[in-house]
Amino acid sequence: MKVLVPVKRVVDYNVKVRVKSDNTGVDIANVKMSMNPFDEIAVEEAVRLKEKGVATEVIAVSCGVQQCQETLRTAMAIGADRAILVQTDEELQPLAVAKLLKALVDKEQPGLVILGKQAIDDDANQTGQMLAALADLPQATFASKVEIADGKAKVTREVDGGLETISITLPAVVTTDLRLNEPRYVTLPNIMKAKKKQLDTVTPADLGVDAKPRLKTLKVTEPPKRSAGVKVPDVATLVQKLKTEAKVI
């Protein structure tokens, strides 16, 4: 069984992002970039499935600029067998990415597509669901446990009320939650091995996909700064301030 793992290059989660002075977006010049943490969990899960003998090949996929090759090399250092970069300088939105992934699913015919539930830059939480709809595949989102057996995936999902366990027929799309696993530390020997692994580059045109943005960002601003707190002498003053100033009671 092939496992396809889409990964996204995002601003590292340790970096405090800055909004551009013209409010057109976030400044990523000279900023450390890394693999989206949810996608890193997905790569780890795919590699574990291969180590258990469930999967035969793990293919990492990324869509975006040429520098996404670094993200794919990281995925191969974790344990992916080969990688595909869909290279484009266009601003990619979830629907465009889902269409590109659908074209690759048609080409590679994987038994499982596993990806992060959302990216930490746009927090869209849409790509996995859109891909499942376009490819007409069963889906299981927010997975905290995945078990593969007899052509089916038993997935434990994190929902508002607790946990939900569902069974879906393969091939399928699964999106990962934080508690699915703890990604392994990437060692230097594996980083060196990853440099020799196969990395193919295609374009959206090669896949017959129009990746032009459908949405336009009007303005990006920082959230308002929180005002300083005040100490109150007694409960009566607190109640008065909650009524007159905060207007919450």
Side-chain angles (χ1 to χ4, degrees):
M1 180 181 78
K2 280 185 191 177
V3 181
L4 195 72
V5 192
V7 296
K8 186 176 184 181
R9 178 177 181 260
V10 298
V11 175
D12 189 89
Y13 68 92
N14 287 312
V15 173
K16 188 180 187 311
V17 294
R18 296 187 305 274
V19 174
K20 290 179 181 176
S21 57
D22 59 1
N23 297 120
T24 57
V26 172
D27 186 5
I28 59 170
N30 303 314
V31 169
K32 183 186 177 188
M33 307 291 280
S34 60
M35 188 189 300
N36 179 44
F38 289 101
D39 295 337
E40 197 173 355
I41 291 167
V43 176
E44 174 66 29
E45 193 65 21
V47 172
R48 289 186 188 187
L49 288 173
K50 188 186 172 192
E51 290 169 347
K52 289 176 187 172
V54 175
T56 54
E57 185 181 30
V58 176
I59 308 162
V61 178
S62 193
C63 306
V65 294
Q66 187 179 359
Q67 290 90 327
C68 290
Q69 287 186 13
E70 300 163 16
T71 309
L72 290 170
R73 293 290 178 198
T74 301
M76 289 191 284
I78 293 171
D81 298 293
R82 61 186 172 94
I84 302 169
L85 170 62
V86 183
Q87 188 172 330
T88 175
D89 292 328
E90 289 268 17
E91 179 205 343
L92 290 175
Q93 294 171 349
L95 181 59
V97 175
K99 287 178 178 177
L100 293 169
L101 294 177
K102 196 266 183 184
L104 289 173
V105 165
D106 291 343
K107 182 181 175 186
E108 296 288 345
Q109 295 293 307
L112 177 68
V113 181
I114 186 164
L115 66 159
K117 69 172 185 175
Q118 66 195 77
I120 61 170
D121 51 3
D122 58 15
D123 273 331
N125 184 10
Q126 294 174 338
T127 306
Q129 293 91 322
M130 287 177 168
L131 170 61
L134 290 171
D136 196 23
L137 294 174
Q139 62 176 308
T141 54
F142 316 141
S144 60
K145 187 177 181 184
V146 177
E147 296 170 304
I148 308 287
D150 303 323
K152 291 191 174 181
K154 186 179 172 186
V155 181
T156 302
R157 304 180 60 237
E158 302 216 348
V159 294
D160 291 342
L163 298 175
E164 175 187 56
T165 303
I166 62 173
S167 176
I168 53 176
T169 306
L170 298 178
V173 176
V174 173
T175 71
T176 64
D177 215 324
L178 278 174
R179 277 161 286 279
L180 180 58
N181 61 50
E182 183 74 35
R184 69 193 67 189
Y185 179 75
V186 180
T187 61
L188 184 59
N190 285 338
I191 292 172
M192 300 309 291
K193 285 178 192 171
K195 291 182 178 179
K196 297 177 182 175
K197 290 183 179 179
Q198 179 183 345
L199 196 161
D200 299 320
T201 301
V202 296
T203 64
D206 295 335
L207 299 173
V209 175
D210 176 12
K212 285 188 174 64
R214 263 61 176 179
L215 307 173
K216 182 180 178 183
T217 302
L218 300 178
K219 193 203 272 189
V220 177
T221 57
E222 288 190 19
K225 285 190 168 50
R226 189 174 170 182
S227 57
V230 294
K231 287 184 179 180
V232 292
D234 50 43
V235 175
T237 310
L238 171 62
V239 173
Q240 183 194 9
K241 285 185 176 291
L242 289 174
K243 275 184 179 177
T244 58
E245 295 179 21
K247 292 185 171 55
V248 294
I249 59 173

